């Protein structure tokens, strides 16, 4: 008997939600490690262990790589490393949920770069409203505008790095996918490692820290990437992109449960604006058959 479509969709949807929960719970747990080795140290552990896992899985040395593809992979990996480092630096002073929402400015900007429809500009207006409420621009008395400016600068840098990661990744993806991802993550580890070593020193190699770093890498990279790949193969890209737009809300909930980070009602509204804008842009782009980047966090 042929499985009904609702039943067939249930497993990939559950896998995708589980992947997002794993990623953001891993990020929240990573933030709890900052007192031990600092934000740069945790970032180095996450990216370093992720690179080792991907190298073991894909063994990229088995395939030849031309100079042009290698150049794009290096740029892709450098953007990935900076994105991770800057995002973790931002988490030192601002909550996880707003940080993820602000970082979404990167992929949203890329998705809208080729836009020509009025509806898309209405969606970006909604995204701008959400960002305006989150950024420390209006001096709001209810605390929404009280996000640390330095932390916001870091997460805006992470958003720019995410946009570059998408653009470079589209070029790097012309090589074998597994080879590009594993070598890109290795490049990211090389970029981030000096910052982690400078901040944490020998503490980075303490056994409990290494175990925790491995757990962060599995929860924030290996497991969610695997679950997202499973879901993407069974869901159409439109549904996948819309569901990934829920990531800021999942991040805020993970931070509430793991770290006790409470947001104001207006901050939740701002995050909802970013989610709605991301979902709207994804829906409009897929209906017109344009290839736009997914907006799930890497």
């Amino acid at each position: 008997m042929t499985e009904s479509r609702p039943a067939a969709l249930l497993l990939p949807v559950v896998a995708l939600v589980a992947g997002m929960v794993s990623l953001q719970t891993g990020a929240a747990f990573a933030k709890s490690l900052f007192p031990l080795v600092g934000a740069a140290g945790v970032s180095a552990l996450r990216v370093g262990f992720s690179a080792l896992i991907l190298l073991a899985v894909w063994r990229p040395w088995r395939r030849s790589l031309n100079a042009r593809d290698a150049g794009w992979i290096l740029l892709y990996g450098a953007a990935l490393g900076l994105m991770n480092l800057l995002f973790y630096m931002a988490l030192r002073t601002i909550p996880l949920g707003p940080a993820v929402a602000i970082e979404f400015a990167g992929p949203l900007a890329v998705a809208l770069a080729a836009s020509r429809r009025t509806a898309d500009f209405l969606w970006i207006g909604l995204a701008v409203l959400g960002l305006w409420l989150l950024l420390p621009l209006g001096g709001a008395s209810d605390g929404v505008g009280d996000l640390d400016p330095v932390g916001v600068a870091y997460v805006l840098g992470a958003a720019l790095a995410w946009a570059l990661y998408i653009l470079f990744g589209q070029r790097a993806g012309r090589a074998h996918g597994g080879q590009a991802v594993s070598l890109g993550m290795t490049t990211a580890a090389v970029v981030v490692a000096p910052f982690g070593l400078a901040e944490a020193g020998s503490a980075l190699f303490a056994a409990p820290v290494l175990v925790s770093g491995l757990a962060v890498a599995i929860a924030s990279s290996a497991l969610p990437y695997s679950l997202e790949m499973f879901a993407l193969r069974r869901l159409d890209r439109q549904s996948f992109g819309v569901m990934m737009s829920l990531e800021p809300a999942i991040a805020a909930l993970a931070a509430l449960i793991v770290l006790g980070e409470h947001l104001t009602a207006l901050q939740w509204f701002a995050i909802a604006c970013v989610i709605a804008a991301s979902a709207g842009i994804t829906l409009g782009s897929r209906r017109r058959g344009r290839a736009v980047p997914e907006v799930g966090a890497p």
Side-chain angles (χ1 to χ4, degrees):
M1 181 181 295
T2 303
E3 189 175 15
S4 67
R5 179 167 176 78
L9 287 176
L10 179 61
L11 188 57
V13 166
V14 170
L16 185 54
V17 172
M20 289 188 285
V21 170
S22 176
L23 192 156
Q24 298 305 333
T25 302
F29 176 62
K31 186 171 181 176
S32 72
L33 299 177
F34 286 2
L36 297 177
V37 290
V42 175
S43 179
L45 288 171
R46 176 197 173 180
V47 177
F49 277 118
S50 297
L52 292 175
I53 293 170
L54 288 171
L55 287 173
V57 170
W58 292 107
R59 291 175 286 175
W61 53 85
R62 296 182 301 170
R63 296 174 180 270
S64 60
L65 189 67
N66 62 51
R68 183 177 180 180
D69 287 340
W72 287 117
I73 288 174
L74 287 175
L75 291 172
Y76 160 75
L80 176 60
L82 287 174
M83 179 182 64
N84 279 274
L85 176 63
L86 292 171
F87 183 73
Y88 275 35
M89 295 295 284
L91 291 184
R92 295 180 304 173
T93 56
I94 63 177
L96 179 60
V100 172
I102 294 170
E103 194 187 21
F104 262 53
L108 287 176
V110 175
L112 287 164
S115 177
R116 296 295 182 270
R117 293 181 76 245
T118 302
D120 287 337
F121 292 97
L122 294 176
W123 289 122
I124 196 173
L126 187 61
V128 168
L129 173 62
L131 293 174
W132 176 267
L133 293 173
L134 289 172
L135 297 177
L137 300 173
S141 60
D142 60 5
V144 177
D146 291 341
L147 291 182
D148 174 60
V150 175
V152 169
Y154 274 122
V155 80
L156 287 174
L160 175 60
W162 192 353
L164 294 175
Y165 159 87
I166 292 168
L167 296 174
F168 295 148
Q170 290 172 341
R171 300 278 188 168
R174 293 174 180 174
H176 182 269
Q179 183 183 46
V181 170
S182 55
L183 292 178
M185 189 66 78
T186 302
T187 302
V190 172
V191 169
V192 176
F195 296 94
L197 289 170
E199 182 170 14
S202 59
L204 202 62
F205 302 103
V209 171
L210 290 174
V211 171
S212 297
L214 178 59
V216 168
I218 293 173
S220 298
S221 298
L223 181 58
Y225 291 171
S226 300
L227 291 171
E228 287 174 11
M229 183 61 67
F230 172 83
L232 187 56
R233 289 174 177 171
R234 290 160 177 81
L235 293 173
D236 61 87
R237 292 178 65 85
Q238 177 177 310
S239 300
F240 181 89
V242 170
M243 288 198 61
M244 292 297 287
S245 301
L246 296 173
E247 198 120 41
I250 292 175
L253 289 172
L256 174 64
I257 295 170
V258 178
L259 302 170
E261 291 182 348
H262 293 269
L263 303 182
T264 67
L266 200 52
Q267 284 175 322
W268 278 107
F269 174 73
I271 289 173
C273 288
V274 174
I275 290 172
S278 174
I281 291 165
T282 300
L283 282 169
S285 300
R286 298 307 181 202
R287 285 169 182 163
R288 296 189 300 279
R290 284 196 290 110
V292 300
E294 306 298 351
V295 289

